[in-house]
Amino acid sequence: MLPTTRRALLHRVAVAQAEGRSPSLVGAVVREGKTVWSGGWGAVDGWAPDADTQYRIGSITKTFIAVLVMRLCDEGLLDLGDPLRAHLDLAGAPPEAGDATVTQLLAHTAGLSAEARGPWWERTDGALRPELTDVFGEGAQPHPAGRRHHYSNPGFALLGALVERLRGGTPWHEVLRREVLEPLGMARTSPLPEAPHAQGWAVHPWADVLQPEPAVDTGLMGPAGQLWSTAGDLGRFAAFLLRGDERVLSADTLARMREPASGPRDENWQGGYGLGVQLTRSHGRLLFGHTGSMPGFVSALWANEAEDVAGIALANATAGPLTGAVAAD
């Protein structure tokens, strides 16, 4: 990579960290299957963060869950058209929820509520929702299944439970470690933080005041946003999403995940959703990946298939840093 390009990338990270008033921000670039650049700005425990510093990645977790579901599909253990009730006991849940198909859950077209009932799930211990039916929000299905895109965190909690059910009761994060993380060499991705990791912070909007954010185990809601990872590990994941790996998923199956499943489908569309991946256009390029947020953290991973390149951005502030724009740039 040219020295001028390296300087431009580090400048982009530094400006985003300063303008977003984030304690730290890390970025990385993946090209032709390898992380070719990474850099950090700000400080974590007094040191500049790097590609091995863990951040919470929020809803990027959903893409990992989607990979596990697609593995089950490729193995013939489920069909994407299967209704949820064909695989899960949903006694006590709204009857319409069981009619939602696996495809609809992956694409956020099942019509399910955006959030779980009760206190804000991202900030509360998963013990508050011990049963699967506890993840359904008030008015559990505000829209008829298949009618429109309606982003649903409980929908991915159900997909995580589906993975556990079809893998003999093994927790989803253990299935993920065995079937995805270990084959891809992602030793720094985990459901709970492992040092070195960034502390999540809420930054006061009008003063230089920081408040620590909780890092709770969200239990059954974990598949919606529990994971922690690093720029280095996400670089490996981005390379996999671009090229495939027969030990995990084929390139053909990954291409199927990138096809628009909800949102506009005309030739001028600017944003949509595939099967567990977000789709957008930036400066004329079609990007796929996911953004994420949890208390104290924001993140983004965007990839471009045509140029075999991806960008990653991670920051430890609840709001402010525009990691989606940084990763796209």
Side-chain angles (χ1 to χ4, degrees):
M1 186 176 289
L2 294 172
T4 51
T5 306
R6 292 182 177 275
R7 286 197 295 270
L9 289 166
L10 188 59
H11 181 264
R12 183 68 181 93
V13 166
V15 169
Q17 183 266 339
E19 291 183 346
R21 301 175 71 242
S22 177
S24 70
L25 193 147
V26 171
V29 173
V30 178
R31 187 171 61 197
E32 298 179 353
K34 298 179 181 179
T35 299
V36 295
W37 178 87
S38 64
W41 207 258
V44 172
D45 295 332
W47 302 92
D50 59 24
D52 192 50
T53 305
Q54 265 196 346
Y55 291 75
R56 204 166 193 181
I57 62 172
S59 286
I60 297 177
T61 302
K62 292 181 173 70
T63 304
F64 286 89
I65 297 298
V67 167
L68 294 179
V69 172
M70 297 304 289
R71 282 177 56 84
L72 293 169
C73 181
D74 283 356
E75 293 172 23
L77 295 177
L78 62 79
D79 186 272
L80 292 179
D82 287 348
L84 194 58
R85 65 163 49 92
H87 301 286
L88 288 178
D89 179 7
L90 294 175
E96 300 88 351
D99 295 333
T101 68
V102 175
T103 291
Q104 290 168 346
L105 290 166
L106 287 169
H108 296 286
T109 59
L112 298 180
S113 58
E115 305 295 351
R117 67 164 63 94
W120 195 354
W121 68 268
E122 295 96 327
R123 298 176 183 272
T124 53
D125 192 281
L128 290 177
R129 298 175 181 86
E131 303 297 332
L132 190 57
T133 53
D134 294 330
V135 307
F136 290 97
E138 304 299 332
Q141 195 170 31
H143 307 287
R147 293 285 185 87
R148 58 178 294 179
H149 177 87
H150 184 74
Y151 195 88
S152 172
N153 285 302
F156 269 76
L158 296 172
L159 288 173
L162 176 65
V163 169
E164 294 185 359
R165 169 69 179 80
L166 295 181
R167 289 303 190 211
T170 303
W172 67 270
H173 51 83
E174 286 296 324
V175 178
L176 180 68
R177 178 187 57 78
R178 182 179 68 229
E179 299 186 7
V180 179
L181 302 182
E182 289 183 352
L184 297 181
M186 298 176 63
R188 292 283 291 136
T189 301
S190 56
L192 296 173
E194 298 177 356
H197 67 84
Q199 164 67 47
W201 298 98
V203 182
H204 193 287
W206 302 294
D208 291 330
V209 177
L210 301 176
Q211 295 289 340
E213 289 277 30
V216 298
D217 185 341
T218 57
L220 292 174
M221 288 298 296
Q226 180 72 30
L227 288 178
W228 295 68
S229 191
T230 66
D233 263 15
L234 289 179
R236 297 177 183 92
F237 190 57
F240 156 71
L241 292 175
L242 283 162
R243 296 179 158 219
D245 186 317
E246 292 296 335
R247 298 171 300 172
V248 182
L249 273 185
S250 69
D252 288 344
T253 298
L254 288 163
R256 186 180 182 186
M257 293 172 66
R258 296 194 294 268
E259 295 175 0
S262 64
R265 300 189 187 188
D266 62 51
E267 62 183 13
N268 297 314
W269 67 270
Q270 295 297 308
Y273 208 91
L275 301 178
V277 294
Q278 291 174 322
L279 308 170
T280 190
R281 293 188 189 273
S282 176
H283 302 288
R285 291 177 173 87
L286 173 60
L287 306 181
F288 72 93
H290 221 290
T291 57
S293 65
M294 285 293 275
F297 296 93
V298 286
S299 58
L301 183 161
W302 289 120
N304 174 248
E305 179 192 9
E307 298 181 22
D308 197 10
V309 66
I312 295 157
L314 308 170
N316 59 331
T318 299
L322 301 178
T323 47
V326 176
D329 287 348

